Amino acid sequence: MGIASSIQFPPAKPEQEKPEDFSDWPYPMTANAELLIKNIHGLFPPRAGESSTDEAVEARYFEFLRGGCCKDVVKALEDCEGPRSTKCKEIAGMLFSCMYSHPDYYQPVIAVFEASVEQLDKDLKVFRAKKQREESFEKANLFKGFKRF
């Protein structure tokens, strides 16, 4: 007689790319992404007679980024196809390096991203601790009622 198990042999291989809608992200990451977007909206409010859509905010955001010393890197990022590609991630990293080397201009954006990263770190610690408690509880209940031999 066999034992039913949810363990898969061989283990499933992790997917190479995450879906574009980020639906597989844990709650702290999606909530933090939403907060980051809200803070970016606050940083770049609509001008008189202008729409406050995500596209309009993104346009104002990139307009601001192009106004500083990092305009070449910003242009490369705007031309980038597939924001999750390795090349686009490298360009985004270059943009942040450039922004950090010119904090006098980019400080408002840096502050929003730093606050977001700090909050995400806190939220993920809480999320991981909760998951660990849940897993410990499940393991404890798994062996409940079994006697040691």
Side-chain angles (χ1 to χ4, degrees):
M1 180 158 29
I3 299 175
S5 172
S6 63
I7 299 174
Q8 189 175 11
F9 290 100
K13 293 182 180 177
E15 293 181 25
Q16 296 298 321
E17 285 289 324
K18 300 283 186 201
E20 286 300 316
D21 66 358
F22 309 109
S23 62
D24 59 333
W25 285 14
Y27 173 76
M29 293 180 74
T30 55
N32 193 267
E34 291 168 5
L35 181 61
L36 175 64
I37 291 168
K38 179 182 173 188
N39 289 337
I40 292 290
H41 276 255
L43 198 55
F44 301 101
R47 296 180 184 126
E50 193 177 54
S51 158
S52 66
T53 64
D54 287 342
E55 292 82 18
V57 171
E58 184 177 342
R60 289 189 299 276
Y61 171 69
F62 276 101
E63 180 183 335
F64 172 80
L65 293 178
R66 283 189 303 270
C69 297
C70 303
K71 58 183 120 261
D72 294 335
V73 183
V74 173
K75 176 71 172 128
L77 189 61
E78 287 178 306
D79 294 341
C80 200
E81 300 262 344
R84 296 180 101 182
S85 72
T86 302
K87 184 67 176 168
C88 293
K89 289 176 186 176
E90 289 173 9
I91 294 170
M94 290 170 32
L95 176 59
F96 278 99
S97 294
C98 183
M99 289 190 326
Y100 274 98
S101 65
H102 301 283
D104 49 316
Y105 180 80
Y106 293 104
Q107 184 54 40
V109 173
I110 291 170
V112 166
F113 278 99
E114 284 180 347
S116 178
V117 168
E118 285 176 24
Q119 186 61 46
L120 179 60
D121 186 46
K122 290 176 189 175
D123 292 346
L124 285 176
K125 283 179 184 174
V126 170
F127 178 78
R128 287 182 189 123
K130 181 181 175 191
K131 284 298 234 182
Q132 194 172 32
R133 279 192 309 273
E134 288 172 359
E135 289 172 4
S136 295
F137 180 74
E138 286 175 9
K139 286 179 185 176
N141 283 335
L142 180 65
F143 295 107
K144 207 175 207 175
F146 284 99
K147 293 182 180 179
R148 291 193 128 173
F149 294 101

